[in-house]
Amino acid sequence: MVRLPGRSETRRSRPSGQPRAPQGPRKDTAGAKGGRPGVLRAAVTGRSVAGQVFLLQVVIVLLLVVSAVVAQVLQVQRDSTREALNRSLAVAQTFANAPGTAAALRAPDPTAILQPKAEAAREGSGVDFVVVMNTDGIRYTHPEPDRIGKKFVGTIAPAVAGGTVVEKIHGTIGELVQVVVPVKDAGGKVVGLVSSGITTEHVGGAADQQLPLLLAAAAAALALATGGTALVSRRLLRQTHGLGPYEMTRMYEHHDAVLHAVREGVLIVGGDGRLVLANDEAQRLLDLPEDAEQRHVLELGLDDDTAGLLASGRVATDEVHLVKDRLLAVNQRPTDLRGGPAGSVTTLRDSTELRALSGRAEVARERLNMLYDAGVGIGTSLDVARTAQELAELAVPRFADYVTVDLFDAVLNGEEPRPGTSLRRAACNGVRDDAPLYPVGERIRFVPTSPQARSLTTGQSVVEPVLREAPGWLAQDLEHTGKIVAHGIHSLITIPLRAGTLVLGVANFYRSEKPQPFDAEDLALAEELVARAAVSIDNARRYTREHSMAVTLQRSLLPRSLPEQGALEIAYRYLPAQAGVGGDWFDVLPLSGTRVAMVVGDVVGHGLHAAATMGRLRTAVHNFSSLDLPPDELLGLLDELVGRIDQDETPADGAAAVTGATCLYAVYDPVSRVCTVARAGHPPPALVHPDGRVEFPDVAAGPPLGLGGLPFETADLELEEGSRLVLYTDGLVEDRDRDIDEGLELLREALGRAPGASPEDTCRAVLDSLPNRPSDDVALIVASTRVLGADRVAEWQVPSDPVAVSEVRASVTRQLAEWDLDEMSFTTELILSELVTNAIRYGRGPIGVRLLRDRTLICEVSDRSTTSPHLRYAATTDEGGRGLFLVAQLAERWGTRYTHNGKIIWAEQPLP
């Protein structure tokens, strides 16, 4: 093989007429001739003599500048201290010797006289303070009035003796100089002291004015040093190129080693078309003979296109030439562009393997992008069908031309799948809409030989490269599969959707537009896509199951219908939360004496825990209301219950606290038209008067349930007949986009637009006025009040005498006759006889009897005693004890409720 030029011995033996191979020194010379930037780069490196001189000059200039700056700063500090001392001393002496200063010190209130003068002197002289004090150091003046009357901080003994005190201290405002001088009266006696001071930084400033001048001078000196160095370096660089002989030899050897080591072919062709240099890679790529150098390029056995390009010397950029079995990218540039010798330099790059690798890399990149998109694009919602559709939309057309997803019905309902081959199509997507595939929603039963059935049975993926040659797939439905093949669909991958040990369904990938059948690499990508989608589908399935359970639980806990009662005309609405299951609830509870209780509550949070807690609170309200407790006492018991729930659950399993629960409880009496309301952290009720006026009654809020420690307060609202009382949860008036005040105003406007409307119309108007669907669940009750007229109420006062029982019976008989209820006289007389007798015997007067005719006939006996009677079963030998037993047998319901001044025993009988 011919020895390559460029080595030292070859270079010495080359004839003088030959062009020199190495171009390194020639390039350096061009760089040196390039002007001032090349000179500066060589100089500032410090590797040449000129560079070293330049660095020395820079060091000298910097030392001079630093010395000047330090000297200037020290001089300024000394001058500042002297100036501060002189100014402070002048101000203090002037003020001490001013007319009236000594007299003011003997005045009853020296501060009133001296403070304005001291502040005027301070502002006029530019000092930081002027302080006048007595000989004990107690201040009479100070710029900050709160320090007047306090002890002066500093040395005053020499000044008390008649001297002057000058001292430098570090005060709250920084380094300062302060002076203390005596104030003497006409006899020369020291009657007070004056101190003045100023911080040294307030009398400085010379350094700030002179320092820029010094820096400008330093910059000018550096510029002159740089210019001088550049002039010296330019001549040196022209002669040595900035390098010594040893460095030039090393550079030449390195260039030669790199030239033959690179994986890119390099050819140098002279102006006469002869090959001057070819490195090892060029000889390998072009398969040149060993004596190729110094031969004409047309004689090297190359193809005509490549040889013509090398001989022409024209400019070429990434021209692709086929040389035998290689694709070579050729770049060519002439060498005489900057005054060099005639000829050209050509580089060769083998792109055969690069193109193949580039194609594979592009495919791999696209697949990685698809997997990334699958990670962020599949499972954006917790809906099973939507998640399946996202898989189909992602894969078309990037991977397949048609994609279908078939799931078990149980999966769509949130349950675990059951074994079988009957599925329902959950998603379908393709490049065209007219493909003869089963539509979404259709139930499909796959035959055992089909790829889908085999995939479900074995849990393994199945690839059918050519569908027209797959008898198992064709046997599914000969007519249907024939249409699919005729449509051009030719290849299939079926992959089971596996989530752990569960098989949720199958995903099918079809190709029609792309002629290549699916291969092993396509199967690996499809399995990865399906694996990610299966996890998201299973998550959606689990959420669907939990959501269904929570919804079922919530619906079972909310009232399905309202009980019959005559005091209120009620309409209600419940809007579930957009996401999850909320804890809002409501109820209507008939009470004794034709009264009705209404309650709304809210448990903060969503999910099963909120729904279960809501059920417990609703059950507790039912139980507590049966005791006929006032609203404030009922909320107190509910508060204790929530506190016990927190104590029992939180330490055990970390369950969420229920302190976020709120509640409003209202009891309406149609006889007195009084509604008693109490609330625990709940929004206030709205009241619509018969004339359409809307207000939010002032009801004390109280703390949310579970906090404990604070009592609840009640408010009594006297309502006109036809008034509408509106109870609601915070989801109606509060949202992420608006605060509660704005929501209450919107509610007020909605209620005001429908004066005289029925409760049903009011509910509709309120919900229609919402700007958008609330994110939280909403419970709404609208109750229109009714009044039990005086013609349906009868009352008597009974003296505490057993003889009065007969009079009560007679009065009751007459009243029942007026109401056309004569047939109820016997039982009613018997009930009232027993109740009144018990009140006379065991209670305290006055005793009252009241009859109420509503949906039932209600008998009430009241007294001032707080002792409640108890039903007991008398023995056969007992002479008494059977009264309440008879009452319980004759009445449909009976009970006791307590009032603020006693109790009421009541009994209800159904009307005939």
Side-chain angles (χ1 to χ4, degrees):
M1 188 172 182
V2 178
R3 182 186 299 271
L4 291 174
R7 307 191 185 279
S8 57
E9 62 271 15
T10 304
R11 184 168 169 237
R12 286 194 296 268
S13 63
R14 186 179 298 280
S16 59
Q18 296 275 349
R20 297 180 63 186
Q23 299 297 322
R26 191 177 301 276
K27 292 181 181 178
D28 290 341
T29 302
K33 292 179 181 180
R36 188 176 184 84
V39 176
L40 290 177
R41 283 194 300 269
V44 298
T45 58
R47 299 179 62 185
S48 63
V49 176
Q52 295 174 0
V53 172
F54 172 71
L55 293 178
L56 179 61
Q57 291 177 346
V58 170
V59 172
I60 293 174
V61 171
L62 290 178
L63 288 176
L64 292 176
V65 171
V66 171
S67 300
V69 170
V70 172
Q72 181 66 24
V73 171
L74 294 176
Q75 181 65 31
V76 168
Q77 290 180 348
R78 188 178 65 179
D79 293 343
S80 299
T81 303
R82 184 182 296 111
E83 174 65 18
L85 174 62
N86 293 337
R87 188 183 301 181
S88 299
L89 182 61
V91 172
Q93 289 179 343
T94 300
F95 195 93
N97 297 325
T101 302
L105 288 171
R106 291 191 178 92
D109 187 5
T111 298
I113 301 174
L114 296 176
Q115 175 70 5
K117 296 181 179 180
E119 287 304 294
R122 179 180 66 81
E123 295 176 356
S125 60
V127 297
D128 290 321
F129 64 87
V130 175
V131 176
V132 182
M133 67 195 89
N134 60 15
T135 55
D136 295 329
I138 303 303
R139 300 188 185 101
Y140 291 141
T141 68
H142 197 277
E144 298 182 13
D146 60 337
R147 298 187 181 182
I148 296 175
K150 297 182 180 180
K151 188 74 174 181
F152 176 76
V153 180
T155 304
I156 63 173
V160 173
T164 299
V165 178
V166 178
E167 58 184 352
K168 292 177 64 178
I169 65 173
H170 182 78
T172 58
I173 59 175
E175 295 289 338
L176 57 87
V177 176
Q178 70 178 13
V179 176
V180 181
V181 299
V183 179
K184 299 179 181 179
D185 57 7
K189 179 181 178 182
V190 177
V191 296
L193 305 174
V194 176
S195 176
S196 176
I198 187 174
T199 57
T200 56
E201 67 179 21
H202 289 171
V203 296
D208 296 339
Q209 301 174 1
Q210 297 175 0
L211 188 58
L213 181 61
L214 290 175
L215 296 178
L222 288 175
L224 292 175
T226 303
T229 303
L231 293 176
V232 175
S233 300
R234 185 168 184 176
R235 184 172 183 81
L236 294 175
L237 291 174
R238 285 179 178 178
Q239 298 177 358
T240 65
H241 306 294
L243 301 173
Y246 175 74
E247 293 173 332
M248 293 181 65
T249 301
R250 289 285 304 276
M251 183 188 69
Y252 180 84
E253 293 174 350
H254 290 166
H255 285 184
D256 186 58
V258 170
L259 181 66
H260 292 278
V262 295
R263 293 297 305 274
E264 189 171 274
V266 178
L267 298 173
I268 300 178
V269 179
D272 56 357
R274 294 183 179 275
L275 181 62
V276 177
L277 174 66
N279 69 349
D280 295 343
E281 184 67 10
Q283 291 186 1
R284 184 184 71 84
L285 294 176
L286 298 176
D287 196 15
L288 298 176
E290 294 183 359
D291 58 348
E293 293 185 4
Q294 304 307 320
R295 292 175 60 180
H296 200 281
V297 293
L298 299 177
E299 302 173 357
L300 299 178
L302 301 175
D303 63 277
D304 295 340
D305 290 341
T306 305
L309 174 61
L310 295 177
S312 66
R314 64 180 175 84
V315 176
T317 302
D318 287 337
E319 286 191 11
V320 179
H321 288 258
L322 179 61
V323 179
K324 296 183 179 179
D325 58 345
R326 297 182 182 276
L327 287 174
L328 302 182
V330 182
N331 290 274
Q332 185 168 276
R333 296 291 185 274
T335 58
D336 57 355
L337 295 178
R338 297 184 180 179
S344 62
V345 176
T346 305
T347 60
L348 309 172
R349 185 173 65 254
D350 189 358
S351 62
T352 306
E353 297 179 357
L354 181 61
R355 286 178 179 269
L357 291 175
S358 177
R360 290 195 293 269
E362 181 65 22
V363 173
R365 185 185 66 82
E366 173 61 24
R367 294 187 172 186
L368 287 176
N369 288 339
M370 191 182 304
L371 292 176
Y372 172 78
D373 293 341
V376 299
I378 299 177
T380 58
S381 67
L382 291 174
D383 182 80
V384 175
R386 178 58 192 161
T387 305
Q389 186 64 30
E390 288 171 348
L391 170 62
E393 292 175 354
L394 175 73
V396 176
R398 299 167 66 177
F399 175 71
D401 297 316
Y402 296 95
V403 175
T404 61
V405 179
D406 305 321
L407 301 174
F408 290 104
D409 284 334
V411 174
L412 293 171
N413 296 329
E415 303 173 1
E416 291 190 359
R418 301 178 182 87
T421 56
S422 177
L423 296 92
R424 190 175 299 276
R425 180 136 297 174
C428 181
N429 190 35
V431 294
R432 293 169 57 183
D433 297 332
D434 58 347
L437 298 172
Y438 293 121
V440 174
E442 183 166 341
R443 189 178 184 86
I444 307 170
R445 181 175 295 277
F446 294 102
V447 298
T449 59
S450 65
Q452 291 83 355
R454 285 184 285 153
S455 181
L456 290 173
T457 303
T458 63
Q460 302 296 323
S461 304
V462 177
V463 180
E464 293 290 356
V466 183
L467 285 178
R468 65 175 64 251
E469 300 176 2
W473 177 78
L474 293 172
Q476 173 66 32
D477 185 344
L478 294 178
E479 181 180 358
H480 184 73
T481 54
K483 292 179 180 179
I484 293 177
V485 173
H487 188 75
I489 298 176
H490 59 84
S491 188
L492 165 68
I493 294 180
T494 295
I495 302 175
L497 287 156
R498 299 177 59 91
T501 59
L502 300 178
V503 177
L504 310 176
V506 291
N508 307 296
F509 300 86
Y510 299 91
R511 273 188 178 173
S512 62
E513 304 291 334
K514 300 176 183 178
Q516 302 86 0
F518 287 114
D519 55 19
E521 292 185 359
D522 295 328
L523 175 61
L525 175 61
E527 287 179 338
E528 182 66 24
L529 288 174
V530 172
R532 299 192 179 198
V535 174
S536 299
I537 291 175
D538 188 55
N539 289 338
R541 177 190 68 82
R542 294 173 183 270
Y543 170 78
T544 301
R545 179 182 61 184
E546 181 180 347
H547 182 71
S548 299
M549 293 172 58
V551 169
T552 303
L553 174 62
Q554 184 189 40
R555 289 177 178 174
S556 67
L557 295 175
L558 288 174
R560 300 181 181 179
S561 62
L562 297 182
E564 294 184 359
Q565 45 81 33
L568 298 170
E569 180 186 356
I570 294 179
Y572 65 92
R573 291 289 188 277
Y574 178 79
L575 294 182
Q578 295 184 18
V581 175
D584 290 11
W585 56 282
F586 65 94
D587 218 333
V588 176
L589 307 170
L591 302 178
S592 63
T594 70
R595 297 173 306 127
V596 177
M598 296 180 294
V599 58
V600 289
D602 183 8
V603 177
V604 176
H606 297 84
L608 286 173
H609 179 75
T613 303
M614 177 264 286
R616 298 170 76 173
L617 295 182
R618 181 168 177 252
T619 302
V621 170
H622 268 268
N623 294 333
F624 293 150
S625 66
S626 65
L627 301 177
D628 242 329
L629 298 174
D632 54 341
E633 294 183 17
L634 186 142
L635 290 182
L637 294 176
L638 205 60
D639 179 67
E640 294 180 5
L641 172 66
V642 173
R644 287 196 301 271
I645 292 176
D646 289 344
Q647 293 175 0
D648 294 341
E649 290 186 355
T650 302
D653 53 7
V658 196
T659 52
T662 63
C663 184
L664 185 147
Y665 190 81
V667 176
Y668 174 69
D669 187 348
V671 178
S672 63
R673 295 186 292 107
V674 173
C675 182
T676 305
V677 185
R679 61 189 180 114
H682 203 81
L687 178 60
V688 184
H689 294 274
D691 58 0
R693 182 166 46 91
V694 181
E695 66 171 324
F696 293 95
D698 185 14
V699 180
L705 299 176
L707 296 183
L710 295 176
F712 298 97
E713 300 181 18
T714 61
D716 292 333
L717 311 176
E718 186 172 349
L719 307 180
E720 301 178 52
E721 185 175 6
S723 300
R724 283 170 290 164
L725 190 65
V726 181
L727 310 182
Y728 52 90
T729 55
D730 59 355
L732 181 69
V733 296
E734 193 172 13
D735 197 69
R736 299 186 185 94
D737 301 330
R738 65 177 186 272
D739 57 16
I740 190 171
D741 292 334
E742 182 181 355
L744 290 175
E745 189 60 32
L746 291 176
L747 177 60
R748 182 195 300 272
E749 295 175 359
L751 295 174
R753 284 195 296 266
S758 66
E760 190 68 28
D761 294 337
T762 304
C763 285
R764 188 179 305 108
V766 169
L767 296 183
D768 291 344
S769 68
L770 295 177
N772 46 47
R773 172 70 182 272
S775 58
D776 196 7
D777 49 346
V778 173
L780 172 65
I781 298 180
V782 178
S784 178
T785 61
R786 298 169 178 169
V787 176
L788 194 65
D791 59 334
R792 307 178 71 176
V793 179
E795 295 183 274
W796 301 275
Q797 293 295 323
V798 181
S800 298
D801 186 351
V803 179
V805 176
S806 60
E807 298 178 2
V808 171
R809 287 199 299 266
S811 300
V812 168
T813 300
R814 288 192 298 269
Q815 184 63 53
L816 292 178
E818 292 180 8
W819 287 345
D820 295 329
L821 297 176
D822 301 270
E823 57 192 77
M824 300 183 65
S825 298
F826 177 75
T827 56
T828 305
E829 289 180 9
L830 183 57
I831 290 174
L832 286 178
S833 297
E834 295 297 336
L835 295 181
V836 172
T837 301
N838 280 343
I840 294 174
R841 181 176 299 178
Y842 304 109
R844 292 184 300 174
I847 299 171
V849 174
R850 186 170 71 165
L851 283 183
L852 303 174
R853 181 187 177 188
D854 191 33
R855 294 177 179 271
T856 60
L857 180 64
I858 304 171
C859 304
E860 294 182 346
V861 177
S862 62
D863 64 81
R864 294 296 180 89
S865 172
T866 58
T867 302
S868 176
H870 296 280
L871 177 65
R872 66 186 183 89
Y873 298 94
T876 56
T877 57
D878 291 343
E879 296 183 0
R882 297 176 178 84
L884 287 181
F885 178 77
L886 292 176
V887 171
Q889 295 298 315
L890 296 174
E892 185 178 49
R893 292 194 311 155
W894 76 281
T896 304
R897 72 172 182 268
Y898 294 94
T899 63
H900 62 279
N901 55 3
K903 69 175 183 297
I904 296 175
I905 303 177
W906 54 271
E908 291 185 5
Q909 302 176 74
L911 295 177

